[in-house]
Every structure is written in C-alpha cells, then in structure tokens.
C-alpha cells in the first residue's frame, strides 16, 4: 500500500514539473513568415529567396527557398488542447512543380540549410505533416522552379478523442490501483483478456 501511494505522489510531481516546462516566446518576430496555432489558418508564400549553397542541390545552381515558423501555444494557458494535433499542409496550384520540404525544430539553421537527408521530395503538388500544438517548428520549402508565389501553407487543429479516453482511463486505473492490485477478479479477468488477445494475435499471424 505504502509503495503505491509513493508512486502516485511521484507521478503527480512529475506531471506538475512537465506542466511548468519553460516555453520560449521570443522567436516569433525573427521570422518573416509565421503562422500562430489557433489564430491563423493559411499563408501565401512570396517569391522566395535564392540560395546558392543549399545542401545537395546541384553545384552552382541556385534554388528558391522559403521558411515558415509555425508558432505553438503555451502549454499552461491551453491545457484543454492536450489531445490535439496540428496538421500542417502545403499545396500549390501548379501541380507539376516539384519541391522539397524540411520540417524541423532547429531555429539556428539558415534558410534552406537543412542537411541533405532531411529534405523530403514532393511531386504531387501537396504535402502534409503534423506537430504538437505546444511546440514551435520550422517549415522549410525549396524548389528549383521559378517562384514560390503559388504556394500556400495551411494549419488545422485536429482533436483526438482516443487520447482523451486513454488519459481518463489512465487516471482511473492509477486511482484504483491499490484496490485493483488486491482484487482476484481483476487479476484473473485481465490475465484472461491478455491471453485471449495473444491467441488472436498468434492466430492472425499464423493464419
Ligand atoms: C495571424 O494572426 C494574427 C492575429 O490574429 C495577425 O496579427 C497576423 O498578422 C496573422 N498572420 C498572418 C500571416 O496572417
Ligand atoms: C542546428 O543548426 C546549426 C546550424 O546549422 C548546427 O550547427 C547545429 O548542430 C544544429 N543543432 C542541432 C541540435 O541539430
């Protein structure tokens, strides 16, 4: 009994520490293009900046680069959004223009300077990625085409009910842990459930 109380107290302390993690808020103004989660939905890009030495682009060739800061929310002020995910989408009206995307967190990187391996090639005119509503991420775009003006960036918040359900059932299980750990019914029924799930898994893998 005493040890499960200790575990609960430790979990509460860790949770509080996690909630009070500092969240920097001074990067926003440094970027020409930014989208704020919960405030902006779309952003059209401008012509783009020519960059001569973008990693792995052809030597001597210059590519057009642009980047957008997606600015997240403060975790403390928006506790209600913990089950959300932010979908980030790029689309272009010229469907045959190929471009490359690098979605990263490193704010000290120059425009178009993502390492070789992090660029993702897009050839179907649209790209999408996702991030937490509480982080800040940079979306870098580069193309060998003539302009980035027909590009648009969208952000959209999506709510995941399953996260809320897991969160609530986790809390309920934690709270009931001292009783459940002494309950034979729980012991046998969870044992049976795991057994049945394993049998089904093995069945589907072998069959
Ligand atoms: C995003 O929204 C804020 C506040 O509503 C506004 O000041 C800012 O100009 C918007 N940014 C863009 C790129 O539309
Ligand atoms: C961030 O980018 C800078 C400049 O490209 C690089 O020197 C640094 O190692 C990067 N940091 C991380 C954590 O990748």
């Amino acid at each position: 009994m005493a040890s499960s109380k200790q575990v609960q107290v430790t979990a509460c302390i860790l949770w509080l520490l996690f909630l009070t993690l500092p969240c920097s808020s001074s990067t926003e103004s440094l970027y020409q293009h930014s989208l704020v989660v919960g405030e902006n939905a779309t952003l059209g890009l401008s012509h783009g900046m020519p960059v001569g030495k973008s990693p792995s682009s052809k030597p001597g060739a210059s590519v057009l680069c642009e980047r957008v800061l997606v600015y997240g929310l403060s975790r403390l002020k928006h506790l209600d959004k913990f089950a959300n995910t932010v979908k980030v989408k790029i689309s272009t009206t010229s469907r045959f223009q190929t471009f490359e995307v690098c979605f990263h967190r490193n704010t000290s990187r120059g425009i178009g300077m993502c390492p070789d391996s992090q660029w993702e090639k897009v050839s179907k005119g649209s790209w999408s990625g996702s991030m937490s509503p509480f982080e800040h991420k940079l979306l870098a775009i580069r193309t060998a085409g003539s302009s980035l003006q027909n590009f648009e960036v969208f952000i959209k918040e999506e709510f995941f009910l399953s996260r809320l359900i897991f969160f609530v059932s986790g809390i309920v299980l934690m709270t009931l842990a001292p009783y459940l750990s002494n309950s034979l019914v729980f012991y046998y029924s969870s044992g049976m459930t795991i057994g049945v799930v394993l049998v089904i898994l093995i069945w589907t893998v072998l069959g």
Side-chain angles (χ1 to χ4, degrees), residues 106-110 113 115 118:
N106 189 344
T107 47
S108 49
R109 227 174 241 167
M113 289 302 158
Q118 289 181 20

Side-chain angles (χ1 to χ4, degrees), residues 12-120:
C12 281
I13 291 172
L14 282 179
W15 177 239
L16 284 178
L17 278 180
F18 168 72
L19 283 181
T20 50
L21 278 180
C23 206
S24 80
S25 55
S26 55
T27 43
E28 188 178 15
S29 54
L30 292 174
Y31 295 90
Q32 204 189 345
H33 295 296
S34 62
L35 285 168
V36 183
V37 173
E39 285 184 17
N40 311 106
T42 66
L43 175 71
L45 294 186
S46 54
H47 180 73
M49 192 174 123
V51 175
K53 291 204 187 81
S54 189
S56 86
S57 60
K58 290 190 198 88
S62 126
V63 287
L64 287 175
C65 299
E66 198 60 91
R67 67 176 170 185
V68 178
L69 173 68
V70 185
Y71 191 74
L73 302 164
S74 148
R75 203 183 282 279
L76 273 183
K77 290 185 202 144
H78 298 272
L79 283 177
D80 54 317
K81 299 202 173 188
F82 81 97
N84 289 10
T85 286
V86 175
K87 270 253 184 286
V88 182
K89 213 177 150 193
I90 304 175
S91 74
T92 169
T93 45
S94 59
R95 307 200 78 233
F96 301 106
Q97 185 166 5
T98 56
F99 58 101
E100 285 172 284
V101 177
C102 170
F103 197 33
H104 66 95
R105 290 186 188 84
N106 189 344
T107 47
S108 49
R109 227 174 241 167
I111 289 193
M113 289 302 158
C114 274
D116 209 353
S117 58
Q118 289 181 20
W119 289 104
E120 216 179 302

Side-chain angles (χ1 to χ4, degrees), residues 192-204:
M192 277 300 277
T193 314
I194 291 174
V196 169
V197 168
L198 279 182
V199 165
I200 293 175
L201 272 183
I202 292 172
W203 194 275
T204 45

